[in-house]
Amino acid sequence: MSATEHATELSRIAARAAAGKSGTDIVALDVSEKLAITDIFLVISAVNERQVSAVVDAVDEALIKAGTKRTRREGEQENRWVLLDYLDLVVHVQHVEARELYSLERLWGDCPRIALELPATPDQQADGQERAE
């Protein structure tokens, strides 16, 4: 069984909100076959603690507007790794250094990635590349 369409749509809403606040390296992993508690892990990087906070707030606001209720928000004290739990979707916003250290993509590397359909960034447009994730 793969992630629900609802969870996939939530991950895309969250990813667009994160990208709008300069969240980078945004990856969605379908963990539904490995975990019973959620369908998707959305992993987002931010370059500093202030940006982690801005990305977290933007994602939370976008998902609330989409009618989704957050069940848990953890890690705000240090803003190095903040977890937002929406049951079907768990969002991990990590400082770049924390992301490298914990390497969630490697840990969950056998899980399929979900195409997020994000618009190309100005750098990608200049290079003629399209966003795959």
Side-chain angles (χ1 to χ4, degrees), residues 55-92:
V55 169
V56 165
D57 289 343
V59 166
D60 201 33
E61 183 178 316
L63 290 175
I64 288 169
K65 282 183 183 176
T68 302
K69 191 172 188 175
R70 176 179 27 86
T71 60
R72 191 171 59 171
R73 185 171 173 157
E74 295 181 7
E76 288 184 286
Q77 289 289 63
E78 296 180 21
N79 277 332
R80 304 279 298 164
W81 180 351
V82 178
L83 180 141
L84 301 170
D85 187 349
Y86 299 92
L87 298 179
D88 292 339
L89 169 68
V90 175
V91 179
H92 301 269

Side-chain angles (χ1 to χ4, degrees), residues 46-54 56 73-83 93-98 101-102:
V47 295
N48 58 47
E49 289 83 0
R50 178 177 266 176
Q51 189 179 21
V52 168
S53 180
V56 165
R73 185 171 173 157
E74 295 181 7
E76 288 184 286
Q77 289 289 63
E78 296 180 21
N79 277 332
R80 304 279 298 164
W81 180 351
V82 178
L83 180 141
V93 183
Q94 298 178 302
H95 189 285
V96 172
E97 293 168 0
L101 178 65
Y102 294 102

Side-chain angles (χ1 to χ4, degrees), residues 6-16 28 40 42 89 114 116:
H6 175 64
T8 301
E9 182 56 28
L10 292 179
S11 70
R12 290 179 178 145
I13 291 167
R16 284 191 296 271
I40 298 173
L42 183 66
L89 169 68
I114 295 171
L116 294 171

Side-chain angles (χ1 to χ4, degrees), residues 110-127:
D110 58 341
C111 295
R113 291 187 178 208
I114 295 171
L116 294 171
E117 302 172 3
L118 292 173
T121 64
D123 290 341
Q124 291 167 328
Q125 290 171 348
D127 293 341

